[in-house]
Amino acid sequence: MSDSENTNKSNIDFKTEFPQAKKRIDALFEFVDNSPTAFHASLNEAKELEKYGFTKLKWEDEWKFNPGDKYYLIIGGTTFISFIVGTEKAKGFKIIGTHNDSPTLCIKNNPEMKSEGLKQLNVEPYGGLVYRGWFDRPLSVAGRVLLRGENNSIKTEIINVEKDLMIIPSLAIHMDRAMNEGYKISPQKELKPVYAMDSDESQDFIDYIAEYLGVETDEILDYDLSLYPRENGTYIGINSEFYSLGRLDNLLMTHQALTAIAESTDTNISFHRIFVSFDNEEIGSQTGRGADSALFANFLKRLNIACGGSEEDYYRSLANSFIISTDVSHAAHPNYPEMADPTNRPRLNGGPVLKIAARKSYNTTGESAARFRLYAENANAPVQCFYNHSDKLGGSTIGPLAEAQTAIPGADIGIPILSMHNIREMGGVLDHEFSIRIMKEFFASEY
């Protein structure tokens, strides 16, 4: 396949596609800007689907479903599952899988540190973040705080301190003339944010959080708090053909899947349609909320039972199921063209990519790729291919993990972006809409 064929450049009319694509990016900005953590992402996913008639479900409830029912549930505050019940109990599961978490800096317990008259926080990297991007920009704090309740109960508060609260100052070049020649950043030493003067008038951080919540400090039992950048999404380029935004990995793909199931209005589809966004993908998925756990297989079994299905029906359903695993992918970088595969070079605004690897770090096969291409053709959307450069190991996704847990085949796809895992990432405006079209076709089809 030639480079021009790979990008499908000749099939894309930017001016025609741009108006609808921009509407999708505007909605993406609103979703991501209001989702600084996976806790917030789950709540915003629920809020959006409730507009479309989805009802909240709890894991501990007794389940019983009818065809066309729409439900969602939140596991551990950060993993989100939504579904539309099919008209045939053993037809199969159509699944789009993604993840809610992104690389960040988590605040440790006993976080107070002081140096040179300044108060700082002790933080720990979560996932493979690019350290250098976190310097010298306004940051704040968001996440979950666990409070002491009555009768040994625990109350949960999801917070977002919407204020330019702290910053991680870099070292001046005058003090290290060799810094532009490259050096290793120590997260323990160099990524501690400054949030206050070390004076009697300045609160300690936990006291500040308690005041923010309107509680006493001793009411705080624990927390899951992390930092996030305060800048919102913005368009880039002479024709606004690009955009810059944080947490594209992986709220970009999550928003596509969320939109696709929300706009799946036909309740007479025989398949069960499922959108699942896991937590902890960035740290390996081996948690109770991650893809490499029994969680999702248990959910599928309960869904089958709640529809009146037998164990035999469950295994019959698995045999006719398919999962599209979605995670952002790499575009060929204009400053580092040698880092990309010689013949498969995804470009911004060239459409979503099929992610393929001989070592099966992506679960795409020839058969699953062919199936995805049919969905794309019927959705009038272009498709590109991504392979790692053969000298590079590359990453992985939830796809192989979900397949290993359920034996459901599928394809790994993604939107090509630049600056992956940095505090800001860059995408092409058209690609979001292209991917949503394909996902909607996937959910609407009977093949």
Side-chain angles (χ1 to χ4, degrees), residues 21-35 232-235 243-259 415 417 425 427-429 431-433 436:
K22 185 178 183 299
K23 291 179 182 179
R24 296 296 197 190
I25 297 297
D26 288 342
L28 173 70
F29 285 171
E30 182 178 3
F31 173 66
V32 176
D33 290 341
N34 289 291
S35 300
N232 289 336
T234 187
Y235 289 95
Y243 61 94
S244 173
L245 183 62
R247 300 182 296 283
L248 288 183
D249 186 357
N250 196 38
L251 293 185
L252 171 61
M253 308 306 298
T254 296
H255 185 257
Q256 292 165 15
L258 174 68
T259 303
I415 294 298
I417 66 170
E425 296 157 312
V429 169
D431 295 328
H432 194 46
E433 165 64 10
I436 291 172

Side-chain angles (χ1 to χ4, degrees), residues 4-274:
S4 61
E5 289 172 337
N6 181 53
T7 60
N8 294 280
K9 184 177 179 180
S10 61
N11 298 328
I12 300 172
D13 184 335
F14 183 83
K15 289 184 178 180
T16 301
E17 297 285 358
F18 182 76
Q20 174 62 18
K22 185 178 183 299
K23 291 179 182 179
R24 296 296 197 190
I25 297 297
D26 288 342
L28 173 70
F29 285 171
E30 182 178 3
F31 173 66
V32 176
D33 290 341
N34 289 291
S35 300
T37 73
F39 296 104
H40 296 83
S42 292
L43 292 177
N44 287 325
E45 288 151 16
K47 182 179 178 181
E48 180 67 14
L49 290 187
E50 285 176 356
K51 299 176 186 177
Y52 291 84
F54 286 74
T55 301
K56 185 175 183 179
L57 187 69
K58 293 183 179 181
W59 192 261
E60 60 268 25
D61 291 344
E62 183 178 354
W63 296 358
K64 186 174 179 60
F65 305 138
N66 296 307
D69 285 351
K70 300 179 178 182
Y71 289 99
Y72 73 86
L73 63 158
I74 300 174
I75 309 297
T78 53
T79 288
F80 187 87
I81 304 174
S82 61
F83 58 98
I84 304 173
V85 178
T87 58
E88 297 182 28
K89 62 184 179 181
K91 179 67 172 181
F93 308 107
K94 281 196 168 187
I95 304 158
I96 301 177
T98 176
H99 65 91
N100 273 340
D101 60 317
S102 302
T104 187
L105 292 168
C106 295
I107 300 172
K108 296 179 181 179
N109 273 285
N110 306 307
E112 301 293 340
M113 301 186 77
K114 299 177 182 180
S115 179
E116 306 303 330
L118 302 173
K119 289 187 174 182
Q120 298 176 277
L121 294 179
N122 190 10
V123 297
E124 179 180 18
Y126 174 92
L129 68 164
V130 179
Y131 296 153
R132 64 177 180 268
W134 286 79
F135 289 106
D136 304 317
R137 63 177 69 235
L139 305 170
S140 194
V141 173
R144 176 174 66 177
V145 181
L146 292 310
L147 302 175
R148 193 185 311 277
E150 297 180 354
N151 300 318
N152 294 316
S153 64
I154 298 173
K155 297 189 296 183
T156 299
E157 293 285 348
I158 306 301
I159 69 167
N160 175 12
V161 181
E162 297 188 55
K163 176 182 179 178
D164 296 342
L165 187 62
M166 57 189 67
I167 199 165
I168 303 172
S170 63
L171 184 66
I173 194 169
H174 311 80
M175 298 178 180
D176 184 1
R177 292 289 183 180
M179 67 167 53
N180 288 333
E181 299 172 15
Y183 69 98
K184 184 177 181 179
I185 296 172
S186 165
Q188 185 63 73
K189 174 181 172 61
E190 299 177 72
L191 295 184
K192 300 188 297 291
V194 173
Y195 75 92
M197 294 290 294
D198 181 14
S199 66
D200 293 338
E201 290 76 28
S202 298
Q203 296 168 292
D204 284 346
F205 176 73
I206 301 304
D207 293 334
Y208 175 82
I209 295 298
E211 182 180 90
Y212 179 85
L213 288 169
V215 301
E216 298 297 324
T217 301
D218 63 5
E219 293 182 58
I220 297 178
L221 292 171
D222 218 309
Y223 53 80
D224 298 292
L225 296 174
S226 58
L227 310 188
Y228 75 95
R230 290 278 291 151
E231 303 101 327
N232 289 336
T234 187
Y235 289 95
I236 301 292
I238 290 176
N239 298 308
S240 298
E241 58 263 63
F242 314 114
Y243 61 94
S244 173
L245 183 62
R247 300 182 296 283
L248 288 183
D249 186 357
N250 196 38
L251 293 185
L252 171 61
M253 308 306 298
T254 296
H255 185 257
Q256 292 165 15
L258 174 68
T259 303
I261 199 166
E263 296 182 4
S264 295
T265 56
D266 188 349
T267 57
N268 292 314
I269 301 297
S270 58
F271 288 89
H272 301 306
R273 288 163 285 174
I274 302 165

